[in-house]
Amino acid sequence: MKIDSAEIIVTSPDRNFVTLRLTTDEGLVGLGDGTLNGRELAVVAYLKEHVVPLLIGRDPAAIEDTWQLLYRSAYWRRGPVTMAAIAAVDMALWDIKGKAAGMPLYQLLGGASRKGLMAYGHASGKDLPELFDSIRKYLALGYRAIRVQTGVPGLHAIYGIASQEGLPGNKGRRYDYEPAQRGALPAQEDWDTRAYLRHVPGVFEAVRAEFGAELPLLHDAHHRMTPIQAAKLGRALEPYDLFWLEDCTPAENQEALRLVRQHTITPLAIGEVFNTAWDFRTLIQEQLIDYVRASATHFGGISPLKKIMDFAALYQIKSGFHGPTDVSPVGFAAQLHVGLAIHNFGAQEYMEHGARTNRVFRQSMTFKDGWLHPGDAPGLGVELDRDEAGQYPYATAYLPYNRLADGTVHDW
Ligand code: KDG
Ligand code: MG
């Protein structure tokens, strides 16, 4: 079998998605997600100009060889654009392999290790009543684990809150589908770490008092604290028994986690912005984290995701794959298959895609009683409707950024 053609499909049903569609001379089609939120067209150019010419005529079965070729022959390794492009190819090739074998991908990765994957949902509120309503909504939908994000008094707009409309440009903004707001320029939000640190422990105290001790609760700090601030928050949250505290410090500084770890037993998750195994090596070997937050899409695909989880398993570190709406249904399916197959699954983030997105990408994935399952269709189990995709042209979109009260740019 040979790769006959490659098409890069850019569509923006509820947000922008970049999908690689490979076709073989035997008519098999493989899909791969190369969506990089806010920088989508850079991946399109990388694929179109530098990757597709290398693929035509290659054996689609040679997944590892193709991955190594794309990674090593570029010489300029790593980086989110390169790794999202390689991820798209890797996923499309696994999709083809599954279809050629007539098996869902998880079977090729070793078979199912469990019946379903525990999903966590994104509850949020600008204040406690709104947050409690949101948690109840997710519990009613069947979720068994909840991420808790709240507004902070004095701050107008903050990551992870669905209903915020406080800043210009945020009117009617639906965080669920549009963390990357469509618009010519990025939106500015405000930030104050001390106000946040004062507020968050009380929120978790209230949530535990209302919803009890059993419910797994998670929180995303989105890279905003210094190591000592993160240590302080981790310690302050200990009485509320978090499932994990995510991205407590900027991901580039791995040593920061040593300091945080010395001071708190709150479990730590990190890695949604990592793009190779090298980014995790120290953190896993020194057991500085508890959960791997990589996504198939930003980490070079299914092949490296499976490898890093096998490495993490040596240290009892589990998966917590990144699953926001900017991971397309194709990328999401890829990590569901990996999550079902590996022994060291932890939790799967799940932000439901919008109705238009679900019409463009027809999925065999299911979500029932809080459990996700990738389905049993051959390959990844996602079909892309090209006519439907064509109705939603690319729209410029940026992630927001933060400024402190004195005007300094801060991590978002
Ligand atoms: O594109 C950025 C989002 O993927 C990110 O902000 C979402 O932090 C996130 C999460 O945990 O889902
Ligand atoms: Mg996150």
Side-chain angles (χ1 to χ4, degrees):
M1 206 173 1
K2 284 188 168 37
I3 300 171
D4 216 28
S5 66
E7 197 182 336
I8 301 148
I9 297 159
V10 181
T11 181
S12 192
D14 296 292
R15 58 178 313 121
N16 293 318
F17 295 112
V18 176
T19 311
L20 177 67
R21 184 179 187 275
L22 298 181
T23 311
T24 72
D25 54 354
E26 296 182 14
L28 290 178
V29 170
L31 299 177
D33 180 23
T35 308
L36 186 61
N37 196 2
R39 296 291 185 272
E40 297 88 353
L41 300 185
V43 183
V44 173
Y46 193 102
L47 281 168
K48 189 163 161 262
E49 307 295 338
H50 308 295
V51 172
V52 165
L54 278 64
L55 297 179
I56 306 303
R58 284 186 68 80
D59 176 5
I63 300 177
E64 183 67 19
D65 185 61
T66 303
W67 195 97
Q68 298 295 343
L69 174 76
L70 295 177
Y71 183 74
R72 290 170 200 280
S73 74
Y75 186 69
W76 310 107
R77 298 175 186 185
R78 311 165 69 180
V81 175
T82 299
M83 300 313 289
I86 295 178
V89 177
D90 182 82
M91 281 181 215
L93 295 182
W94 277 108
D95 196 19
I96 290 170
K97 196 180 277 292
K99 286 174 180 165
M103 287 184 193
L105 182 66
Y106 72 82
Q107 293 292 6
L108 304 182
L109 298 175
S113 290
R114 58 196 52 79
K115 288 182 282 188
L117 307 178
M118 183 181 78
Y120 73 88
H122 280 203
S124 71
K126 46 183 186 303
D127 51 26
L128 282 181
E130 198 179 276
L131 174 65
F132 286 6
D133 284 352
S134 175
I135 295 175
R136 285 191 196 97
K137 183 190 109 186
Y138 279 96
L139 293 176
L141 289 169
Y143 284 86
R144 293 160 184 270
I146 306 283
R147 191 184 86 160
V148 171
Q149 306 292 134
T150 64
V152 172
L155 298 183
H156 299 98
I158 177 172
Y159 164 77
I161 312 302
S163 60
Q164 59 197 349
E165 296 191 344
L167 289 179
N170 276 357
K171 193 84 192 137
R173 175 183 172 192
R174 281 212 53 193
Y175 157 74
D176 315 35
Y177 301 139
E178 298 300 332
Q181 288 169 290
R182 288 171 170 147
L185 291 169
Q188 182 184 309
E189 298 187 351
D190 51 352
W191 184 247
D192 177 343
T193 306
R194 293 189 70 235
Y196 166 78
L197 288 174
R198 281 195 304 276
H199 186 64
V200 171
V203 170
F204 277 89
E205 183 184 15
V207 170
R208 278 285 176 230
E210 180 74 13
F211 295 94
E214 186 64 28
L215 182 64
L217 298 177
L218 304 85
H219 180 66
D220 189 349
H222 229 252
H223 320 279
R224 290 167 189 197
M225 290 178 282
T226 64
I228 203 69
Q229 289 168 335
K232 185 175 172 179
L233 180 65
R235 188 179 282 185
L237 292 176
E238 282 172 15
Y240 315 115
D241 187 26
L242 263 62
F243 188 89
W244 77 44
L245 172 62
E246 176 185 340
D247 288 341
C248 60
T249 49
E252 298 94 320
N253 180 11
Q254 312 230 333
E255 285 73 22
L257 276 300
R258 284 198 196 109
L259 189 144
V260 179
R261 215 41 161 181
Q262 277 164 23
H263 292 285
T264 180
I265 55 168
T266 291
L268 302 176
I270 206 161
E272 67 184 38
V273 301
F274 288 176
N275 42 69
T276 71
W278 300 101
D279 299 328
F280 277 111
R281 187 175 61 151
T282 305
L283 300 181
I284 290 175
Q285 265 179 335
E286 295 190 20
Q287 305 190 90
L288 300 179
I289 56 169
D290 301 280
Y291 295 93
V292 165
R293 283 285 290 150
S295 70
T297 306
H298 305 121
F299 200 67
I302 292 158
S303 306
L305 198 62
K306 173 73 166 65
K307 288 179 195 171
I308 197 69
M309 289 319 303
D310 289 343
F311 178 53
L314 302 179
Y315 300 91
Q316 296 169 283
I317 293 169
K318 297 188 177 187
S319 69
F321 299 148
H322 191 210
T325 48
D326 46 286
V327 168
S328 91
V330 176
F332 193 66
Q335 53 202 45
L336 291 188
H337 285 282
V338 177
L340 198 69
I342 57 176
H343 178 247
N344 50 335
F345 169 79
Q348 175 60 57
E349 179 180 26
Y350 181 39
M351 274 179 98
E352 293 172 39
H353 284 110
R356 284 188 295 259
T357 299
N358 291 333
R359 283 200 296 276
V360 171
F361 298 94
R362 287 197 296 267
Q363 303 162 61
S364 50
M365 169 289 262
T366 54
F367 176 62
K368 200 159 173 280
D369 300 328
W371 309 114
L372 287 159
H373 192 285
D376 283 306
L380 289 172
V382 182
E383 302 296 327
L384 185 127
D385 183 329
R386 282 187 287 169
D387 292 337
E388 190 73 24
Q391 293 184 29
Y392 307 109
Y394 168 80
T396 306
Y398 284 99
L399 283 156
Y401 70 102
N402 274 327
R403 280 195 194 275
L404 307 179
D406 70 356
T408 307
V409 173
H410 191 74
D411 300 292
W412 182 77

